[in-house]
Amino acid sequence: MTCQPPPTQPVFNWRRQVGRRIDAAVLTGAAALALILPTIPSSAAQTAPGIDYPEIFRLHGSASAARADASRRPPPALLQPVSGSPLPQAVPDTHPPAWRLSCRFASDSAARAAWDIPVKIDLRGVRGIRFQMRAEDLSSVSYLSFHFKSGDGWYTAEFSPRGDGNWEEVAIAKSQTSLEGEPAGWREISAFRISVWRGAARDTEIEIAGFGVLPTDRRIAVVRGSHNFRQLPPGERSSVLTYARRLADLLGEYGVFPSLVEESDLDRSFLRRVGVVILPYNPQLPDAAGQALAEFAEHGGRLIGFHTLPGSLNRAAGLRQVGLRRAVEQEGGFQSIAAVSGALPGAPPRVGQNSWNIALYQAAEGESPPRVLARWLDGGNRDTGYPALLQTERALWLSHVLINHETEHGGRLLLAMLGRFLPELWREIAEARLQTLNAKLPYADFNDAYRSLRPYRATRPEVETWLGQAASARMAGYRALARQDYSAVLHHMDRAEQALAEAFLRSRPSRADEFRAAWCHRGEGVGNWGWSRTVRHLRASGFNAIIANIAHPGMAWYQSRHLPVAAAVVAKGDQVAQLTRAGSEHGVEVHAWIMV
């Protein structure tokens, strides 16, 4: 493991965000190019928002000004205060026009300041909303939230801007939102609301401008199971939100941005442009949505579903659910999904899951038996005899929700499932992956990074080694593209970017005073290593400090006069004494983490 970059460098995010397919009806030209190529934020304060995407409306602070601007494009929209919040003030010399929103937390005891933008807009065919924002000081703010008014409720999401005085883009994806009240779907949006929540009794202000949409790939729709949301048990509500967001995020890591819609949004007009509908977890699919999806499948649409299979989709999916099998009933449980060799191109051989139950299916009446594409393995990597992924003429169905989202395997399985019905998607992703730079490096693209890092070879020979590995892996990706092995392209580009990031890190001088710490939740170190091996390993990996949990209510990993001691103390001795000895021996600072 290498040292972390100095604070002035960007933090790396290894999540993949590959080439984007832009809906031409939403975004074209230079704006689309700006989405494909990453931009480097400027350190200097900007005097204007300067957006690189089409606006959906132009903000005004009064109804009369909005009426006077009604003939222009984009159309006008009114920005109006909520519940006594101050009127917005125009920010001079900005294009597009920006508005200052004042939060009088010093004199007003209200929990928040808020402003509405009444609109009438169908957002089913976009990924979300974005706008420009600037704030000098948010230390008196608890958090900010964005709300979409729909029917008798809201879709709402929190967001956290930098607040460093520079203009920045805020993106609110629909998949991030939760539900309040009884919203009526994304086609019935009637207002946007921005709320700034009080954190301290000090005034502050924000500036906003440039509202646009986040484009989407209209071929794909993820349907959130929000029907009768308030009547679902709390755990079910959480699952509905989690699994829809997870699938949208996993696809986004590969530059695939599906439309996220609610079950109430499904109708013939929306589904006409969709090729594949994904049902991540839909425990109470309403009849109208089931009928719309059945008609969609009969006219060539394809379904990808997880776990619960609603009865209204039996004919469309060619399957019916006949029961559940709990993990506790199966020796070794259901620990992973193993793809049947050659059955699903691009799927990883194994995907860890640790599922707590699985659904059982049979062919629907009059339908042919489904094809098994993957099977469940137990904790000993033995075949449980239960299929994990089934394919019929019009559907793919996984017998549990997709849990694996922390490694690339879950995303690759989802991508392979989607590629079964949209085979052109593989090539699009592979081609974009070769051209773009997805690691968070301060360069425009892969070639720019390679050229910029080459001069460091003279003083840091290891940079040349890693650049060579990056170039070789990328070349292997081009060869894989030529033989149409698209999943191999992604594998090689993962290696190429990791090597490129290593070259970048090794080109940076290490700071002598840098604090490089690891957290350890267990008061006795990693696994069965003990503290000596744990601390030695950390030091060898470049860490110089450890923050260790040595006590929490009910247990201490030392001889405490106030708390019961952990079993490890009785069996192995005072763990804090061993930790501090190891820290002294290997030159690693020890910091106590006590949960009060």
Side-chain angles (χ1 to χ4, degrees):
M1 176 176 279
T2 58
C3 301
Q4 296 181 29
T8 55
Q9 300 298 336
V11 176
F12 295 115
N13 179 355
W14 294 111
R15 293 293 192 180
R16 318 302 193 238
Q17 292 189 354
V18 190
R20 292 134 166 94
R21 175 181 172 89
I22 305 301
D23 186 343
V26 177
L27 197 64
T28 57
L33 181 63
L35 279 179
I36 294 172
L37 297 179
T39 56
I40 309 302
S42 169
S43 58
Q46 303 168 32
T47 57
I51 67 170
D52 59 1
Y53 50 82
E55 292 180 274
I56 54 174
F57 51 69
R58 189 67 59 93
L59 288 176
H60 290 276
S62 70
S64 59
R67 285 193 297 269
D69 200 34
S71 62
R72 295 181 59 192
R73 290 291 179 268
L78 179 62
L79 179 62
Q80 57 189 34
V82 175
S83 301
S85 296
L87 289 169
Q89 301 296 317
V91 180
D93 302 321
T94 54
H95 181 78
W99 291 87
R100 181 173 296 118
L101 308 178
S102 298
C103 307
R104 296 172 181 166
F105 295 144
S107 56
D108 190 342
S109 61
R112 67 173 177 177
W115 294 264
D116 276 358
I117 305 171
V119 294
K120 186 173 179 56
I121 187 169
D122 182 347
L123 289 182
R124 290 180 296 178
V126 304
R127 183 161 49 101
I129 289 293
R130 53 182 162 175
F131 57 94
Q132 301 296 313
M133 178 178 167
R134 180 168 66 179
E136 295 285 351
D137 180 13
L138 294 175
S139 60
S140 63
V141 175
S142 174
Y143 65 96
L144 295 93
S145 55
F146 192 90
H147 313 259
F148 303 84
K149 175 69 172 173
S150 171
D152 294 327
W154 301 82
Y155 300 111
T156 180
E158 297 178 14
F159 64 97
S160 301
R162 294 191 305 269
D164 58 2
N166 294 325
W167 284 103
E168 57 185 299
E169 182 176 308
V170 174
I172 309 294
K174 295 189 294 183
S175 60
Q176 296 173 258
T177 61
S178 185
L179 287 75
E180 297 178 0
E182 300 290 342
W186 292 100
R187 61 179 164 183
E188 301 288 347
I189 301 301
S190 58
F192 299 153
R193 173 174 292 178
I194 295 176
S195 297
V196 184
W197 295 85
R198 175 192 183 94
R202 294 191 307 277
D203 291 345
T204 192
E205 58 189 24
I206 65 172
E207 296 173 4
I208 60 171
F211 280 78
V213 300
L214 293 168
T216 190
D217 188 333
R218 286 291 300 270
R219 295 173 297 178
I220 309 161
V222 172
V223 182
R224 194 158 59 173
S226 57
H227 179 63
N228 282 339
F229 188 74
R230 291 297 156 199
Q231 283 67 53
L232 292 173
E236 290 282 81
R237 293 200 295 267
S238 176
S239 295
V240 161
L241 300 178
T242 295
Y243 296 115
R245 180 177 64 249
R246 186 169 293 171
L247 294 196
D249 290 349
L250 282 173
L251 290 174
E253 291 165 10
Y254 294 94
V256 179
F257 299 105
S259 301
L260 181 131
V261 295
E262 313 299 332
E263 291 162 326
S264 58
D265 287 318
L266 297 176
D267 61 20
R268 185 178 300 173
S269 65
F270 173 74
L271 291 171
R272 188 177 296 120
R273 292 184 60 187
V274 176
V276 178
V277 168
I278 302 176
L279 300 167
Y281 181 61
N282 299 72
Q284 295 186 16
L285 187 74
D287 291 341
Q291 292 170 6
L293 290 176
E295 182 180 339
F296 164 77
E298 288 172 4
H299 288 82
R302 295 296 178 257
L303 303 174
I304 293 178
F306 295 83
H307 201 31
T308 302
L309 175 55
S312 58
L313 293 184
N314 286 352
R315 181 175 176 79
L319 294 171
R320 64 188 182 95
Q321 185 172 338
V322 294
L324 288 173
R325 174 79 172 174
R326 296 191 301 164
V328 295
E329 300 169 340
Q330 177 69 32
E331 183 178 357
F334 301 106
Q335 293 292 315
S336 60
I337 297 169
V340 173
S341 179
L344 187 63
R350 283 187 52 195
V351 179
Q353 274 274 121
N354 193 21
S355 294
W356 48 92
N357 65 46
I358 63 170
L360 306 177
Y361 310 109
Q362 291 180 356
E365 185 176 355
E367 299 287 338
S368 301
R371 182 183 178 190
V372 178
L373 303 184
R375 308 191 70 85
W376 286 105
L377 302 184
D378 65 16
N381 294 325
R382 297 177 296 267
D383 189 338
T384 64
Y386 289 98
L389 179 60
L390 298 173
Q391 179 182 358
T392 65
E393 181 183 354
R394 295 183 291 270
L396 285 174
W397 220 272
L398 190 75
S399 57
H400 198 226
V401 292
L402 187 60
I403 299 172
N404 188 307
H405 66 288
E406 295 178 348
T407 73
E408 71 275 12
H409 300 304
R412 295 283 166 87
L413 175 62
L414 180 60
L415 195 60
M417 294 168 66
L418 193 55
R420 173 68 89 189
F421 293 140
L422 295 174
E424 70 277 12
L425 195 66
W426 272 115
R427 183 175 186 89
E428 294 168 9
I429 292 170
E431 289 177 341
R433 187 78 170 91
L434 285 162
Q435 300 302 321
T436 55
L437 180 65
N438 302 314
K440 302 303 182 183
L441 297 171
Y443 307 109
D445 54 33
F446 193 99
N447 291 336
D448 180 34
Y450 190 88
R451 287 191 299 265
S452 300
L453 290 168
R454 289 189 70 186
Y456 291 97
R457 298 177 301 168
T459 56
R460 296 178 179 271
E462 65 269 29
V463 171
E464 183 168 15
T465 300
W466 287 106
L467 285 179
Q469 292 188 23
S472 296
R474 192 182 189 211
M475 185 57 65
Y478 275 104
R479 289 194 294 266
L481 180 68
R483 63 177 186 269
Q484 299 184 12
D485 188 351
Y486 303 126
S487 62
V489 174
L490 305 187
H491 170 72
H492 291 308
M493 288 307 297
D494 288 348
R495 292 174 48 236
E497 289 203 343
Q498 289 169 8
L500 199 63
E502 284 287 349
F504 171 78
L505 288 170
R506 291 172 188 274
S507 73
R508 307 295 103 177
S510 294
R511 287 177 42 167
D513 62 342
E514 192 168 51
F515 182 74
R516 301 187 298 276
W519 294 83
C520 187
H521 193 75
R522 299 177 78 247
E524 52 188 302
V526 175
N528 60 357
W529 285 9
W531 280 119
S532 179
R533 182 179 175 186
T534 297
V535 174
R536 182 173 71 251
H537 183 78
L538 285 173
R539 185 58 183 172
S541 301
F543 291 91
N544 58 22
I546 182 169
I547 304 169
N549 178 12
I550 65 169
H552 60 72
M555 190 188 312
W557 273 271
Y558 56 90
Q559 296 293 346
S560 172
R561 293 177 296 163
H562 306 289
L563 293 171
V565 298
V569 175
V570 177
K572 305 174 187 177
D574 190 313
Q575 294 299 292
V576 175
Q578 295 177 27
L579 170 59
T580 53
R581 273 199 305 272
S584 297
E585 178 182 354
H586 299 292
V588 172
E589 295 179 12
V590 173
H591 297 263
W593 168 24
I594 298 175
M595 299 167 68
V596 182

